[in-house]
Amino acid sequence: MGCFCLKKLGHKPGYEAPINLASETPFTVNEVEALYDLFKKLSSSIIDDGLIHKEEFQLALFKNSNKQNLFADRIFDLFDIKHNGVIEFGEFVRSLSVFHPNAPEADKIAFLFRLYDLRQTGCIEAEELKEMVTALLCENNMSLSEDVVDLIVEKTMMEADTKRDGKIDDEEWKEFVKKNPSIIKIMTLSDLKELTLAFPSFVMNSGVSDLQQPVKN
Amino acid sequence: MRKKTRTVGKYEVGRTIGQGTFAKVKFARNSVSGESVALKVLPKATILKHRMVDQIKREISIMKIVRHPNIVRLHEVLESRTKIYIILEFISGGELFDKIVHCGRLPENECRRYFQQLIDAVAHCHSKGVYHRDLKPENLLLDSYGDLKVSDFGLSALLQQGVGLLHTTCGTPNYVAPEVLSNQGYDGAAADIWSCGVILFFIMAGYLPFYEIDIPTLYKKISAGQFSSPFWFSPEANSLIKKILDPNPKTRIQIEGIKKHPWFKKNYLPVKPSEEEVNLDDVRAVFDDIEDQYVSEQSVAKEGGPLMMNAFEMITLSQGLNLSSLFDRQQDYVKRQTRFVSRKPPRDIISSVEAVAESMGLKVHTRNYKTRLERISANKVGEFAVVLEVFEVAPSLFMADVRKASGDTLEYHKFYKNFCTKLENIIWKPTEDVANPSVLRSLTC
């Protein structure tokens, strides 16, 4: 059934076999297939070319393809492992795997560090933190004076930058996250656990048959 | 009062001994009595600019209230046109921490004496409703007689700004109670007692009961109360330490129990805190005056405040970081409004929330700055529970996080819309677009 469908449709460039992706990630083959379903939806929302473009990503996150957002940009850049301006299916699955509830915490911490290290200097500078706080405030229409922003940043730097050199290095970051575990909550998507239930339509396309398939819809 | 003499009131000001973001600490001498003091200098402009008047006033008042022979004393508060001066007892003997680092562990009898003094000081503060929350040997000073002095009681927020002593072991969680680590609301008294237990262990052993290079293991050990005492601890000392380092704050020994413990009772001479009248007039005079220059900001007369939300926690509120929206199958973009910002004092936020929720027929239960709202119905239809928590994101800027804890999502959405409308007077609106209700929506995740 499903095999036939998939083969007939063919795959867009950048497609990778679920079985390979499942072997490198915490996902099962079925889950990778469910992700493919999601990927297809996301990558075809504007241009149906099997690749997620920045606008499509923004559309998915904000329901608005023109919405610029510093953090969405950073996530996009990190997902775009090959740095070619688009997210391919393999990149999508590998990057999302860090968000899996069973993914190692160290990976989540490291991913977030890279995300916040805006200029990729290997450290999160106070300046970068300020930029991010300002972006967040702006996103939420909160206009705080620069003094207050400085104060917020300074307070956090006091706590995080234990070496007092004006930047947070990898080691300080790990310590800080341990003390403030709520920071990495966003690195876990519970949705990734019930993928096959969330995207039951994969069952129809599945290239692999499982004995127990969810009988939903 | 020109540059040459450098005096503040009756104090001759000497060299700078510490410097932080908000304050400078200088050595000074009372020219009348010859007594040495530490002089904390806070520029008024900085305090005003950072809207810290209430906080500093509260903390200074606390420091004045908790008078005890084993607590660093705040003598008085003075002001000039542009600065506030806090005059503190000058402690010459250094930190207890350094003593252990340099001389190693101390004999059991000496430890007992320090511990008795520590417990006396802590018990005194707790009786006044003040909790330290950051007890560690670096905060324990020794005076010239070798008596213990706890520093920074009530000044925790100021200290975070780097005022005062220079801490080298800044940020190690070794002294922190398990319930504090687990990030839940906690009882300040029980948490302080835990830290006292870690301190006692540390001075008797010469090393920490919980020490791991790798933080997850450290957390695990603390949470399990997993430590082993060295062979030189006497059985009585051991029994007391075990009762203090009980990971369950509910069964952990309390001050009364410690004072009744045979190990503690040995050679115990309770110190009577001098019950002299504490006069807060100088504090009021200094601060009420500055407040006049400021649009009336009500002071929160309560000890403690809402939890701080740090910059990174704020950042995680960005919608751009919330990838769960990628999985949003339904097209409905009636997103939950899960946050609002307020400039009102946190007490007022909570009381408004309570009043509104009660008017909507919800059951309300508040603990500290966290309120649980529940709709209960006889037939269980439309039941839901909501948890609202207030965080401080900057001085005088608060964020309420509202989330559904259980129940029907649709009912919750209906409730929340209604709820926000009724809370309009406390929800802080951005400067523009006030009329547009979608602005509120954009405050969400």
Side-chain angles (χ1 to χ4, degrees):
Chain A
M1 45 157 210
C3 300
F4 170 69
C5 280
L6 277 183
K7 279 183 187 139
K8 195 175 178 193
L9 284 170
H11 293 294
K12 299 256 158 64
Y15 178 81
E16 285 181 55
I19 201 148
N20 297 345
L21 289 169
S23 69
E24 312 174 16
T25 60
F27 299 117
T28 64
V29 176
N30 274 354
E31 286 171 334
V32 176
E33 286 174 334
L35 282 177
Y36 187 61
D37 225 51
L38 172 64
F39 181 82
K40 271 194 300 185
K41 194 185 98 183
L42 298 176
S43 64
S44 61
S45 63
I46 299 175
I47 317 165
D48 188 5
D49 59 356
L51 301 164
I52 299 176
H53 294 258
K54 178 72 84 51
E55 291 74 18
E56 289 170 326
F57 193 65
Q58 287 166 352
L59 182 65
L61 286 181
F62 308 110
K63 312 291 176 232
N64 176 352
S65 60
N66 294 319
K67 172 118 181 181
Q68 300 280 328
N69 180 288
L70 172 67
F71 303 104
D73 284 353
R74 288 298 298 147
I75 296 229
F76 189 90
D77 291 346
L78 290 183
F79 272 48
D80 176 16
I81 300 166
K82 292 184 190 157
H83 303 296
N84 56 354
V86 287
I87 302 174
E88 294 172 5
F89 180 55
E91 293 173 332
F92 184 69
V93 175
R94 288 188 186 93
S95 302
L96 273 182
S97 72
V98 181
F99 291 81
H100 194 281
N102 298 342
E105 193 170 76
D107 293 355
K108 294 175 191 283
I109 296 172
F111 186 94
L112 209 50
F113 183 74
R114 285 198 295 143
L115 192 132
Y116 291 153
D117 177 14
L118 302 178
R119 283 175 264 289
Q120 292 140 68
T121 54
C123 285
I124 302 169
E125 279 85 11
E127 265 309 302
E128 289 174 328
L129 183 56
K130 184 175 171 184
E131 198 175 326
M132 293 187 282
V133 171
T134 310
L136 182 272
L137 292 171
C138 180
E139 176 188 333
N140 288 319
N141 295 320
M142 297 193 274
S143 42
L144 296 186
S145 70
E146 203 176 338
D147 293 339
V148 180
V149 177
D150 282 340
L151 182 71
I152 294 171
V153 170
E154 213 164 82
K155 265 190 165 163
T156 299
M157 288 303 289
M158 273 294 183
E159 200 191 328
D161 174 24
T162 49
K163 290 173 196 155
R164 298 278 175 271
D165 55 1
K167 54 192 188 212
I168 301 166
D169 63 25
D170 177 50
E171 203 181 305
E172 289 166 336
W173 176 248
K174 283 182 201 153
E175 285 262 325
F176 185 71
V177 174
K178 297 291 174 197
K179 280 187 279 168
N180 300 278
S182 60
I183 295 173
I184 52 160
K185 267 194 211 153
I186 49 158
M187 288 303 301
T188 296
L189 293 168
S190 55
D191 310 72
L192 292 176
K193 258 219 150 145
E194 289 113 29
L195 275 176
T196 52
L197 290 176
F199 296 92
S201 58
F202 92 91
V203 175
M204 304 310 290
N205 304 328
S206 179
V208 174
S209 57
D210 270 10
L211 287 174
Q212 289 164 303
Q213 288 180 343
V215 230
K216 253 214 145 174
N217 212 3
Chain B
M1 267 267 307
R2 247 18 208 176
K3 273 172 194 159
K4 264 190 196 160
T5 39
R6 304 202 69 197
T7 57
V8 172
K10 55 178 184 271
Y11 303 96
E12 293 162 1
V13 183
R15 64 183 204 280
T16 302
I17 49 181
Q19 172 128 32
T21 321
F22 289 96
K24 231 181 219 176
V25 185
K26 286 172 177 288
F27 180 79
R29 211 171 61 94
N30 181 329
S31 58
V32 181
S33 66
E35 186 187 14
S36 299
V37 295
L39 184 80
K40 240 171 221 195
V41 189
L42 297 154
K44 282 182 182 173
T46 319
I47 300 176
L48 282 173
K49 207 165 74 180
H50 295 313
R51 297 173 158 251
M52 294 181 77
V53 176
D54 289 341
Q55 192 187 351
I56 292 178
K57 181 181 174 186
R58 183 169 73 226
E59 290 175 347
I60 290 176
S61 306
I62 289 171
M63 272 194 92
K64 276 204 93 170
I65 291 164
V66 293
R67 254 180 211 189
H68 188 276
N70 298 111
I71 296 176
V72 174
R73 178 156 178 174
L74 187 152
H75 291 300
E76 61 179 324
V77 182
L78 299 171
E79 67 170 331
S80 70
R81 201 169 49 78
T82 56
K83 293 189 174 80
I84 291 171
Y85 302 95
I86 304 172
I87 290 101
L88 297 163
E89 183 180 9
F90 180 76
I91 309 296
S92 58
E95 296 173 10
L96 179 58
F97 182 78
D98 288 334
K99 186 167 174 171
I100 309 292
V101 170
H102 294 131
C103 319
R105 66 184 161 100
L106 305 174
E108 194 159 316
N109 280 331
E110 202 177 337
C111 294
R112 186 184 349 253
R113 196 169 68 90
Y114 289 139
F115 186 69
Q116 287 163 343
Q117 293 179 341
L118 172 63
I119 290 295
D120 265 342
V122 170
H124 175 71
C125 291
H126 288 185
S127 72
K128 306 264 178 196
V130 176
Y131 308 98
H132 193 292
R133 296 165 209 264
D134 192 26
L135 282 169
K136 48 191 175 191
E138 295 93 316
N139 279 336
L140 306 182
L141 307 179
L142 298 175
D143 71 7
S144 47
Y145 305 102
D147 282 326
L148 187 91
K149 300 269 186 182
V150 183
S151 75
D152 300 311
F153 242 113
L155 272 181
S156 47
L158 271 183
L159 190 79
Q160 279 166 17
Q161 317 304 333
V163 180
L165 304 161
L166 296 166
H167 291 158
T168 44
T169 52
C170 193
T172 45
N174 311 64
Y175 298 93
V176 177
E179 68 270 21
V180 180
L181 288 182
S182 67
N183 226 355
Q184 253 112 55
Y186 62 92
D187 169 13
D192 276 352
I193 288 173
W194 171 280
S195 306
C196 290
V198 177
I199 291 167
L200 174 59
F201 184 105
F202 174 70
I203 60 177
M204 276 180 63
Y207 58 85
L208 290 162
F210 307 104
Y211 183 78
E212 295 293 333
I213 301 290
D214 123 88
I215 303 281
T217 319
L218 174 63
Y219 273 42
K220 238 178 259 159
K221 294 233 161 123
I222 292 178
S223 307
Q226 208 185 96
F227 68 96
S228 43
S229 306
F231 65 87
W232 58 82
F233 280 20
S234 68
E236 296 81 44
N238 226 344
S239 114
L240 178 59
I241 289 176
K242 285 214 172 90
K243 287 183 171 133
I244 300 178
L245 298 182
D246 172 352
N248 181 352
K250 298 223 170 66
T251 52
R252 187 177 307 150
I253 193 168
Q254 298 176 335
I255 296 271
E256 297 322 304
I258 294 176
K259 287 192 167 172
K260 283 188 196 129
H261 195 278
W263 187 84
F264 184 91
K265 280 195 340 207
K266 195 172 167 196
N267 304 326
Y268 176 52
L269 291 169
V271 226
K272 263 252 170 296
S274 46
E275 276 305 330
E276 43 185 315
E277 192 76 15
V278 177
N279 188 340
L280 292 177
D281 285 352
D282 56 343
V283 181
R284 277 189 211 112
V286 166
F287 285 92
D288 292 351
D289 181 39
I290 333 183
E291 276 184 322
D292 286 346
Q293 306 164 24
Y294 220 71
V295 204
S296 69
E297 271 224 350
Q298 277 195 316
S299 92
V300 189
K302 275 281 194 179
E303 61 88 24
L307 293 175
M308 285 291 307
M309 186 181 271
N310 66 46
F312 286 105
E313 287 165 329
M314 279 180 79
I315 291 170
T316 61
L317 303 179
S318 171
Q319 201 182 328
L321 290 176
N322 180 15
L323 294 190
S324 69
S325 43
L326 296 179
F327 298 85
D328 233 5
R329 280 164 305 141
Q330 298 100 330
Q331 299 310 322
D332 70 319
Y333 193 52
V334 194
K335 271 273 176 189
R336 290 160 302 179
Q337 300 190 343
T338 48
R339 273 162 222 122
F340 64 82
V341 177
S342 180
R343 284 243 182 227
K344 300 274 189 227
R347 280 280 146 213
D348 293 7
I349 302 174
I350 293 287
S351 55
S352 306
V353 163
E354 287 175 334
V356 167
E358 273 164 9
S359 78
M360 294 169 78
L362 300 182
K363 226 182 88 186
V364 179
H365 176 75
T366 301
R367 201 167 163 238
N368 298 326
Y369 294 90
K370 209 170 181 173
T371 299
R372 190 182 165 89
L373 311 172
E374 264 175 294
R375 174 178 294 156
I376 301 190
S377 72
N379 55 3
K380 304 250 171 207
V381 176
E383 282 195 343
F384 62 83
V386 179
V387 176
L388 180 144
E389 187 165 9
V390 177
F391 295 94
E392 185 177 347
V393 290
S396 307
L397 184 67
F398 303 92
M399 188 176 280
D401 181 68
V402 191
R403 58 183 185 275
K404 191 193 78 167
S406 64
D408 188 277
T409 310
L410 199 66
E411 283 301 315
Y412 167 72
H413 286 324
K414 274 198 260 170
F415 149 79
Y416 193 75
K417 257 190 187 161
N418 198 352
F419 184 64
C420 278
T421 324
K422 293 188 174 179
L423 279 175
E424 217 142 47
N425 61 324
I426 63 156
I427 296 179
W428 183 66
K429 297 195 187 57
T431 38
E432 65 225 282
D433 265 348
V434 179
N436 185 353
S438 71
V439 169
L440 250 185
R441 198 157 293 151
S442 66
L443 283 177
T444 68
C445 55

